[in-house]
Amino acid sequence: MGPRRALAWSVPWLCAVALGCALTPDYERPDLELPDAWVEPADAGASIANLGWWELYEDPALGGLIEAALDENQDLALALSRVHELADQLIFVRADQFPFLDVFGSAGRGRESRDVVPGASTDNRFSIGAELSFEVDIWKKFSRATEAARADLLAGEASYRNVKLSLVASVASAYFLLRDLDERLAISRRTVESRRESLAIISARFAQGTVGELDVNQAEIQLAIAEAAVANFERGVVQTENSLRVLLGRYPGEVLRGAELHLRVFPPEVPPGLSAELLKRRPDVVAAEQALRAETARIGVAEALRWPSLTVSGSIAAVAEELTDLNSNDAKAWNIAAGVFAPIFNSGQLKAQAAAQRARTEQVMYDFEATLR
């Protein structure tokens, strides 16, 4: 290889080493052609979208139940723990972009076999030093992995918010169902009392001979129907209370009630014309898009594994037979090395791995589009 040819080959390589070359393009959000608004423009849309909707009911009991669920629900705690795991995983993955520095030290005393080394003596050996190693991110393998880990973290945070909103909605729905069952139970009990009075009156008339036995039988049937409704609503109240307590992360039991339904302040209706940009704020949409970003970045990681990698390392140490000699110049030792690793026989395997990652990314893209719709 002539000097000019060697120089022409080395300049791009050195540029790649210095700057890094991504094998895949950066993530870009798919063009989904979202509508400007759902129905027609409305000035109140932005304000309604930013409200804490459960606070609009002005029910302290409901607010207390929601706060208890946010503090004690195990599913929400699990989602939050997942976010903490992803945050630590991001730190772990990002560390590969920086050099690793290790320190070492040792002390020993020993002797070689005199059958092998005649006249071998007992010697001391002390050493202390540091080693620096760094894999150059030529193809942006580590930066793409960091990008994927960061997107996983953002997706985890969005999933946590989604679980949180779902939990609040479930608590509110169960609470209003419970209050509705309470009122239905109260109405059924009043109906039972009314039909008992009617049965007593009809029975008295039957005793006087003014009505027939059929009227008595019909009154008894109506009373039995009302009593069955009471038992059915009582069972529904208990089941709903137990379901609500499970959402609170507690054992089955009674639930504190607030104002009755007919005394409650209901929130205003959501106006038409909310901007379609609100879709991008939905936690499930954010989680789906960040998952797509993560899988897209992992294509770059998979592609980079198919190309050579460059590792640079260096070490400095002091080795001496006496501990006091570690500071002498003669005890110093150092080493600098560089190595290249390139896959050859497993290139087909790595190519298939990259193709599989592209297929996974395509699947996540379809999931993201389906989530938006």
Side-chain angles (χ1 to χ4, degrees):
M1 181 183 295
R4 293 185 178 180
R5 185 177 178 185
L7 181 61
W9 177 88
S10 61
V11 169
W13 175 262
L14 294 176
C15 291
V17 171
L19 302 177
C21 298
L23 297 177
T24 56
D26 294 333
Y27 169 80
E28 294 183 2
R29 174 181 291 171
D31 186 9
L32 300 174
E33 299 181 357
L34 296 177
D36 295 332
W38 290 115
V39 182
E40 57 186 11
D43 295 335
S47 61
I48 289 293
N50 290 304
L51 292 176
W53 56 266
W54 59 89
E55 299 176 358
L56 299 177
Y57 290 100
E58 300 180 4
D59 190 336
L62 174 59
L65 292 174
I66 290 176
E67 290 179 1
L70 295 178
D71 291 337
E72 303 177 29
N73 182 268
Q74 288 81 10
D75 291 334
L76 187 62
L78 179 63
L80 182 59
S81 178
R82 174 63 174 164
V83 172
H84 293 160
E85 176 192 354
L86 293 172
D88 294 333
Q89 184 68 20
L90 172 59
I91 297 174
F92 175 80
V93 173
R94 187 171 180 268
D96 288 332
Q97 294 182 262
F98 303 96
F100 288 89
L101 177 63
D102 301 311
V103 296
F104 59 88
S106 65
R109 180 178 175 84
R111 190 196 71 182
E112 296 288 343
S113 171
R114 289 178 178 174
D115 288 338
V116 178
V117 183
S121 61
T122 302
D123 298 319
N124 298 326
R125 186 177 180 86
F126 300 93
S127 65
I128 185 172
E131 182 175 0
L132 184 71
S133 61
F134 177 60
E135 182 177 342
V136 183
D137 197 9
I138 303 175
W139 316 114
K140 290 192 174 182
K141 173 175 61 178
F142 298 131
S143 60
R144 288 301 193 203
T146 301
E147 180 183 348
R150 184 177 293 108
D152 284 337
L153 174 58
L154 295 176
E157 291 176 345
S159 297
Y160 169 74
R161 292 196 300 272
N162 192 33
V163 173
K164 184 176 180 179
L165 288 177
S166 298
L167 175 62
V168 171
S170 297
V171 170
S173 298
Y175 177 77
F176 288 125
L177 176 60
L178 178 62
R179 299 304 289 128
D180 179 63
L181 290 173
D182 286 338
E183 293 198 0
R184 291 175 182 268
L185 177 59
I187 293 173
S188 297
R189 286 172 175 170
R190 291 196 296 268
T191 302
V192 167
E193 294 301 323
S194 174
R195 291 183 180 179
R196 281 177 180 169
E197 294 176 359
S198 298
L199 176 59
I201 294 173
I202 293 174
S203 297
R205 290 180 178 177
F206 174 73
Q208 297 296 325
T210 57
V211 296
E213 185 177 1
L214 179 61
D215 294 329
V216 176
N217 293 337
Q218 289 179 340
E220 291 175 344
I221 292 173
Q222 293 299 319
L223 175 59
I225 293 174
E227 290 175 340
V230 168
N232 184 51
F233 286 128
E234 287 177 342
R235 183 170 58 254
V237 167
V238 173
Q239 291 176 346
T240 305
E241 281 183 322
N242 292 342
S243 299
L244 189 51
R245 295 274 297 189
V246 169
L247 291 174
L248 300 180
R250 300 173 180 174
Y251 292 107
E254 295 184 356
V255 174
L256 179 66
R257 270 75 156 176
E260 297 179 359
L261 287 179
H262 66 277
L263 299 176
R264 189 174 314 283
V265 176
F266 287 93
E269 295 183 359
V270 178
L274 293 179
S275 173
E277 286 294 318
L278 293 177
L279 276 175
K280 300 174 184 178
R281 296 173 50 185
R282 272 175 37 191
D284 58 334
V285 173
V286 174
E289 182 177 7
Q290 292 302 325
L292 176 58
R293 181 187 293 272
E295 295 301 328
T296 303
R298 290 190 177 98
I299 295 177
V301 177
E303 290 289 349
L305 292 175
R306 301 172 54 196
W307 295 86
S309 61
L310 173 64
T311 302
V312 180
S313 63
S315 64
I316 184 171
V319 182
E321 294 184 356
E322 298 295 335
L323 186 62
T324 55
D325 293 337
L326 289 176
N327 290 328
S328 66
N329 290 329
D330 293 338
K332 293 181 180 179
W334 58 271
N335 178 63
I336 297 177
V340 177
F341 173 83
I344 300 296
F345 293 105
N346 62 335
S347 59
Q349 180 189 34
L350 297 177
K351 183 178 180 180
Q353 179 180 351
Q357 180 57 44
R358 291 182 183 276
R360 283 192 292 269
T361 303
E362 186 178 12
Q363 296 167 27
V364 176
M365 183 184 67
Y366 292 144
D367 180 70
F368 172 51
E369 294 178 353
T371 303
L372 278 174
R373 291 175 173 81

